[in-house]
Amino acid sequence: MRQRSNMSSLGPVCSAGTGHRGRDAAVIGMACRFPEADDPAAFWRNLAAGINSVTEVPPDRWDVGRWYSPDISAPNRSTSRWGAFLRGFDRFDNGFFNISPREARNMDPQQRLLLEETWHCIEDAGVSVETLARARTSVYVGAMAMDHYASVHAPGAETESHACAGAYACMMANRVSYHLGVSGESVTLDTACSSSLVALHQARRALLLGEADYCLVAGVSLDFSPWKYVSFGKSRMLSPTGQCRTFDKDADGYVPGEGVGVILLQRLEDAERDGGVIHGVIRGSAVNHVGRATSLTAPRVGAQRDVILAACRDADVDPATLTYVEAHGTGTSLGDPVEIAALTEAFRTSTDQRGFCAIGSVKTNIGHLEAAAGIAGLIKTLLMMRHERIPPTLNLRTLNPLIDFERSPFVPAREARPWVRPAGVPLRAGVSSFGFGGVNSHVVVEEYRGGCDGTAPVAGGGAPLAFVLSARTEPGLRALKARWVERVRSPDFDGAALREACLALQETGRSFKRRFGAVVRTPAELEAALTREEAPTPALPVGLPALFFGDFPENGPAAARELDAHDPLFAAAFERLAAPLVERTGHGSAAALLAAEAGLPRELRPALALCVQCALAESLERGGLAFGVRGGNTAATLVTSGALSFDDALRALLPGGDGARVRLRRPRVPCVHPVTGEVLEPWEADVALLGGLISGFQVDGDGVRRAAAEARLLFGTQHTFSRHLEEWRQPLAAVGRTLESLLDGTPPGEERLTALILAVSRLRLERKWSLGAPRLPGDARLEELALLVADELLLPDEVVRWMCAPDEEAAAAIAGALAGRLNRGSKSGACSGARGPGAALSGPEGELAASELLGMALGREAVSYT
């Protein structure tokens, strides 16, 4: 037996991984779309069944007959006509992402795939987009394909304004960050075939350095141009026989594959604290470069060995504790022997044991995904850990004689078999990815065993769960339900998976017009609910249901404890709303506050009642329920309708607020006043007030002329400002005016019209670019009127017609149109009635004494309304 080398260079070895948790990153979400697999469940089924997804190049990519030749010397021809391709890669739900059809057409399809699978990854994680946006969330994408860029700037191709944003590689990550509203690092990396694992390395480092709280990591690859096939074919990188034969004597090159994989990372201790699902743990990672080798694209044993050892050192694990390696394994006659030699040298620093570590490569199933190859291998490994099974490596008949497996630690995974844990060690694997430009990467990944004691979290014990779906259209909802039926029927969809899915959909699901919901306890119940034939819903002439708040009962806190324990939407809302109470009482959390309710001072009970009722209303609405009028003799009626702010109500209800008076305003939705019984409606337009506003605002003539001079400087050069000014050209023409006449020395008597046009245009410019509040050449009533137009509550043609040719009938029609728009709600929430005497919106406001509100909070009749 050879003497083991001194492991001090690797740092202290921890065979079970304890004591390293502060440097671990948890994979809390994952999604993928690979050839013949639209999600991880389908991907695993294909892996377990040994499905080979390689086909001939489909006709929607390019004309194979035009570009293929078995003769490597044939000009502009490729020796390969095979690959593993995605179905429907050109389909994209642009409406879901609020992207116009024109912009979507100009987007690299890789960007579109990333958006879709990132959303699926976030759903899988059960983390809301709002949470990611509030936290420090970074995005790292590995990508190298340039096919779209080549197509949009090809000779004769029409170039549109969206072409640049749709083509440049930086937009892979940047568009994801933009859509989610996250402001951490946003980087697209291209290190060729190692890109996605290098992205993972950068992301993990950002987490450990405290530069990010969440990291989205992705890799994507698409082929729809024969250019790469021709070049790589002539470089003898592609297989002329059309298969990745990893470790086989007939290995003759790789077959390109397509796909996208996305994972969401969080520091392990944070993920454990949040209590979500953990798919696996990234223990260590490393990146290096080959340096000077035989050629620019040639691998080198020493460099690959060093990156593997560096990843193990970073993970603080002995290489001998790895029981599986997902090899880069491209299926080249020299690349595979170099990789096994490097792995063997790395393992030999700590063990002479032979044949204990399985090794395989996903490339035999789905081809070489190039920039996405590493993330594909990682997702495969995470699925293997979930199922505790090693799938077969395909196309392996006769081992490559240049690979000495007999004297190595490795056994090729030729057949499916269980993945067995060594004594005291969790399932642990290495994943390799090497770029043809010389950048090497290796990751050490480990199964999650539920904390330092190795216990797993307990799944729900048959409690009823709310399963909710929504879509924009009925066909979209039917398709969504069909996908869930397929997922529910998979063997790995058990009770724990059901609970995870329900919680994730409640937390991250967007509420669209078409909805489906069911309360279920088991996967079988969910399948029955999803497949049940439903009678068409008649179009009944009824409005939304009312939300009625009754008296807060004696057992209200006990009921709230049950909700807090079982309803994550209620728990999140109550935690936020009850924060002032938690701070005031010294309890560590809202849950602790409810648990200690019996000892809570009675004077705090009204505030607790308000928090519970408002949290319940919020959780119902976030769960997909919509309500019309609010009713009931409680303060929550006013708060949830928008007639009273929660902060004002809580401040008045807390001890010491008895002398305070809270101001009521018009609600966002109708509500029944708890004292008077009056139905308070959203704001309505008042013809007299609106007319007084339009005819009564005052301007400073010199200020208008200065503003017009500034506008002339911007007009025609600043695109956004010019576009907003141009919106007034046609309305002005209808009353015999021109835009130029107003800007070029405003005619006498037209100063007020000029001031309004400039005020609206400047407000809209400021809203888009956040330049700071503009100086408006008039009084507060001008600002109020400009806000109405900027919010599109008044339209330019309406206000111009009213100002230039007042007509009583037209004025009434304009006021009526404004009322309709107000009831639908403005974009910015301006004109809420709190802007002072210039408001063009009618309806009584009032005040309540805190003593009256106190009675309402407990469900008692209040005294009066002032």
Side-chain angles (χ1 to χ4, degrees), residues 249-266:
K249 76 174 182 66
D250 293 325
D252 57 359
Y254 79 87
V255 175
E258 296 182 335
V260 55
V262 187
I263 62 173
L264 180 60
L265 296 181
Q266 189 180 16

Side-chain angles (χ1 to χ4, degrees), residues 192-203:
C193 314
S194 58
S195 297
S196 56
L197 285 197
V198 173
L200 174 60
H201 175 70
Q202 300 276 35

Side-chain angles (χ1 to χ4, degrees), residues 205-217:
R205 190 159 59 180
L207 286 174
L208 300 185
L209 291 175
E211 296 172 352
D213 300 312
Y214 295 93
C215 287
L216 283 159
V217 182

